[in-house]
Amino acid sequence: IQYNVKKYAIESAFNDPRFQELNHGEFKNIELEISILSKAADISLEQYFGKKFDLHRDGILLQTIKNKRGFFLPSVAIEYGYDKRQLLEQLCGNKMGVNIDCYKNSDTRLQYMEGMFF
């Protein structure tokens, strides 16, 4: 596990094309949060909006029949103050680039992963 934490911390800091590369001075001063997620499991909308999905613990993955996919770590809801509906709408609209209510389509697969944070 230590090897993977070190490897992916360095990858994220210096080789993730979504973000500007950190310089070495910044790297020494950052704080890391590590999310360990369980294997993805299917969840129905009823379960998601019920008690099975914990907005402050679980990650969410959506996939449409046309293979559009989007994923949010648990920290996204916390960081942006989203409720469960807003989280799905942001995942559909901003992350996947489809209608904000794509999660309501019968051909959309909804999965979640329980998370632990360090």
Side-chain angles (χ1 to χ4, degrees), residues 47-62:
Q47 291 171 318
Y48 173 82
F49 284 111
K51 294 186 180 196
K52 187 169 189 170
F53 183 86
D54 185 329
L55 197 58
H56 299 286
R57 178 196 67 206
D58 300 333
I60 193 73
L61 173 67
L62 282 176

Side-chain angles (χ1 to χ4, degrees), residues 2-17:
Q2 284 180 321
Y3 171 78
N4 284 336
V5 169
K6 181 179 178 181
K7 175 184 174 184
Y8 291 112
I10 292 170
E11 279 294 311
S12 297
F14 299 111
N15 298 315
D16 190 329

Side-chain angles (χ1 to χ4, degrees), residues 47-112:
Q47 291 171 318
Y48 173 82
F49 284 111
K51 294 186 180 196
K52 187 169 189 170
F53 183 86
D54 185 329
L55 197 58
H56 299 286
R57 178 196 67 206
D58 300 333
I60 193 73
L61 173 67
L62 282 176
Q63 183 173 355
T64 68
I65 198 162
K66 296 179 182 178
N67 285 325
K68 288 272 193 175
R69 293 173 57 129
F71 172 73
F72 279 148
L73 286 167
S75 59
V76 172
I78 297 165
E79 184 175 336
Y80 292 98
Y82 295 149
D83 63 24
K84 288 182 178 182
R85 181 188 51 79
Q86 291 169 322
L87 185 66
L88 291 180
E89 288 177 350
Q90 291 297 320
L91 189 55
C92 290
N94 289 332
K95 185 79 170 195
M96 297 169 61
V98 296
N99 286 337
I100 65 168
D101 63 351
C102 77
Y103 64 92
K104 295 179 182 177
N105 296 339
S106 61
D107 64 347
T108 298
R109 184 176 185 190
L110 184 62
Q111 295 184 299
Y112 80 110

